Each structure stands twice: as C-alpha cells, then as structure tokens.
Amino acid sequence: EIVLTQSPTTMTASPGEKVTITCRASSSVSYMHWYQQKPGASPKPWIYETSKLASGVPDRFSGSGSGTSYSLTINNMEAEDAATYYCQQWNYPWTFGGGTKLELK
Amino acid sequence: EVQLVESGGGLVQPGRSMKLSCAASGFTFNNYDMAWVCQAPKKGLEWVATISYDGSSTYYRDSVKGRFTISRDNAKSTLYLQMDSLRSEDTATYYCASLWGYFDYWGQGVMVTVSS
C-alpha cells in the first residue's frame, strides 16, 4: 500500500498570500489527485491527474509533481479557499493523504 | 444533474450488520466503477471498497475484507455496501463515489455509529 504524507498538516494564510501544500508518496505514482472538503460537506474533486483543474475550480489553483513528490499551489489566497485538502493516489489500493487544514489568517 | 444519495445508516451494536444503499441519477451508472469512502469523526478520508462498472470485480481495504461486501444493481442504478461483524472502529460517515480515474462525484454521506 502506498502511504501518502501531506505537509503541513495545518496552516494559516493571509488573503493574497501564496500557499503550497505538499504530498509525498512512499512509492512512485503516475498521477496525484486532490480534493477539497469544507466542514459538514462532502469532498469535492479539485485537481485531477496531477495538474488538471476540476470543473469550477478557480485558476489561482495549480498542481504539479511527479514520482513521489506532488504539490497543490494557490496563488493569491482567498477566504473561500479555507478548507481541508486531501491528496489521493490512483493505484490500487487507493489511498489518501492525511489532509492539510488551511485556515484564513 | 448528477446525484448520489446514500441511505441506511444509523446506530448499530458491535457484531451486528447494516446495509447501505446509494441511489444514483443524472449519469450513466453502468458505465462507471463505483466506490465507498469513509471518514471517521474528525479524521481523514479512507477508501473502503470499489466495484467495477459491470460488477465483475470487487476490491476491499484489508480491514474490511471478509466483513464488507460491495455490490450493485445496474437496472436500479443503485450501489450497496453490506457491512457484517461491525466494530467500533467502523464508526464513520460513508460516502459513495463514482470512480473515473479519480473519485469525481460524491454523495452527501451517511453516518454509521457502531456502539453498544
């Protein structure tokens, strides 16, 4: 089973700040997916196949990476971006990272 | 509009069984692999089980193998999760999700509480 480790686990950011969340895999994976979840809501696909934005996701978000290291970046943090973000690798058995809680400063 | 609506959750005693259902609409259900993903209170997401679009293949996380059974009825556009020998550590919100490379549509989730 591939273990995904996200960092940081929690962070705060001010409006307009650049944010980077990292996801490291215990073995190489071909793609990484990312989900956004807000309190009391279901997760939403956010970035898929490493760098493709899901429908409706603002273009201030981007994804990159390869092998065992992937990242989600927000250029110009906005209040609505405060949420928990999870990475997920696409090989069986499917696994998620532990999540990064992003709060607004 | 795509909708996945879970039902069947609630409070159950340890060792007992429960069956979850997920009614799908708004997309071609029998073209999609489907999955269950759970989230324990205040915890992260965990994949539970996946079934192929035609029901011919099933996959489970180790902790539920032999206890949980995923199935589907394509004629009814419905996904199921039969959960037997439930344990306190199975307490979680269970989401059904469609799988098209990634988990692209999610239900609202149903809470399962295993407690005496």
Side-chain angles (χ1 to χ4, degrees), chain A residues 2 14 17 21 32 47-48 51 54 58-59 65 70 73 91-92 99:
Chain A
I2 295 175
S14 301
E17 190 174 340
I21 298 169
M32 193 65 71
I47 296 174
Y48 64 99
S51 60
D59 62 7
Y70 293 82
T73 298
N91 295 318
Y92 168 78

Coordinates of all heavy atoms in Angstrom, one line a residue, chain A residues 2 14 17 21 32 47-48 51 54 58-59 65 70 73 91-92 99:
Chain A
I2 N 0.5 2.2 -0.9 CA 1.3 3.4 -0.9 C 0.8 4.4 0.1 O -0.4 4.7 0.2 CB 1.2 4.0 -2.3 CG1 1.8 3.1 -3.4 CG2 1.8 5.4 -2.4 CD1 1.7 3.5 -4.8
S14 N -2.8 34.5 4.8 CA -3.5 35.7 4.6 C -4.0 35.9 3.2 O -3.5 35.3 2.3 CB -2.5 36.9 4.9 OG -2.0 36.8 6.2
E17 N -1.8 35.8 -0.2 CA -0.6 35.0 0.0 C -0.6 33.8 -0.9 O -1.6 33.3 -1.3 CB -0.5 34.6 1.5 CG 0.8 34.0 1.9 CD 0.8 33.7 3.4 OE1 0.0 34.3 4.2 OE2 1.6 32.8 3.9
I21 N 0.9 23.2 -0.7 CA 0.7 22.0 0.1 C 1.4 20.9 -0.6 O 1.3 20.7 -1.8 CB -0.8 21.7 0.2 CG1 -1.5 22.9 1.0 CG2 -1.0 20.4 0.9 CD1 -3.0 22.8 0.9
M32 N -1.4 12.2 -9.3 CA -2.0 12.5 -7.9 C -3.3 13.3 -8.2 O -3.3 14.2 -9.1 CB -1.0 13.3 -7.1 CG -1.4 13.5 -5.6 SD -1.3 11.9 -4.8 CE 0.4 11.6 -4.7
I47 N -8.3 18.9 -8.1 CA -7.2 18.8 -9.1 C -7.1 17.3 -9.4 O -7.0 16.5 -8.5 CB -5.9 19.4 -8.7 CG1 -6.0 20.9 -8.4 CG2 -4.8 19.1 -9.7 CD1 -4.7 21.5 -7.9
Y48 N -7.1 16.9 -10.7 CA -7.0 15.5 -11.0 C -5.9 15.3 -12.0 O -5.4 16.3 -12.7 CB -8.3 14.9 -11.6 CG -8.8 15.5 -12.9 CD1 -8.6 14.9 -14.1 CD2 -9.5 16.7 -12.9 CE1 -9.0 15.4 -15.3 CE2 -9.9 17.3 -14.1 CZ -9.7 16.6 -15.3 OH -10.1 17.1 -16.5
S51 N -2.4 17.8 -12.5 CA -2.4 19.3 -12.8 C -3.7 19.8 -13.4 O -3.7 21.0 -13.8 CB -1.2 19.6 -13.7 OG -1.3 18.8 -14.9
A54 N -10.4 20.6 -11.7 CA -11.8 20.1 -11.9 C -12.7 21.3 -12.2 O -12.4 22.5 -12.1 CB -12.3 19.5 -10.6
P58 N -11.1 27.7 -9.4 CA -10.5 28.9 -9.9 C -9.1 28.7 -10.4 O -8.4 27.8 -9.8 CB -10.5 29.8 -8.6 CG -11.5 29.2 -7.7 CD -11.6 27.8 -8.0
D59 N -8.7 29.4 -11.4 CA -7.4 29.2 -11.9 C -6.2 29.7 -11.1 O -5.0 29.6 -11.5 CB -7.3 29.8 -13.4 CG -7.5 31.3 -13.4 OD1 -7.6 31.9 -12.4 OD2 -7.6 31.8 -14.6
G65 N 4.0 18.0 -10.0 CA 4.8 17.0 -9.4 C 5.0 15.8 -10.2 O 4.4 15.7 -11.3
Y70 N 4.5 15.6 -4.9 CA 3.4 16.4 -5.6 C 3.1 17.6 -4.8 O 3.3 17.6 -3.5 CB 2.2 15.5 -5.9 CG 2.5 14.4 -6.9 CD1 3.1 13.2 -6.5 CD2 2.1 14.6 -8.2 CE1 3.4 12.2 -7.4 CE2 2.4 13.6 -9.1 CZ 3.0 12.4 -8.7 OH 3.3 11.4 -9.7
T73 N -0.8 24.3 -5.3 CA -0.4 25.7 -5.0 C -1.6 26.6 -5.2 O -2.4 26.4 -6.2 CB 0.7 26.1 -5.9 OG1 1.9 25.3 -5.7 CG2 1.1 27.6 -5.7
N91 N -3.4 4.4 -7.8 CA -3.2 2.9 -7.9 C -3.9 2.2 -6.8 O -4.1 2.7 -5.7 CB -1.7 2.7 -7.7 CG -0.8 3.2 -8.8 OD1 -1.2 3.1 -10.0 ND2 0.3 3.8 -8.5
Y92 N -4.4 0.9 -7.1 CA -5.0 0.1 -6.1 C -3.9 -0.4 -5.1 O -2.8 -0.8 -5.6 CB -5.6 -1.1 -6.8 CG -6.1 -2.2 -5.8 CD1 -7.2 -2.0 -5.1 CD2 -5.3 -3.3 -5.6 CE1 -7.6 -3.0 -4.2 CE2 -5.6 -4.3 -4.7 CZ -6.8 -4.1 -4.0 OH -7.1 -5.1 -3.1
G99 N -4.5 14.8 5.0 CA -5.2 16.1 4.9 C -4.3 17.3 5.4 O -3.5 17.1 6.3

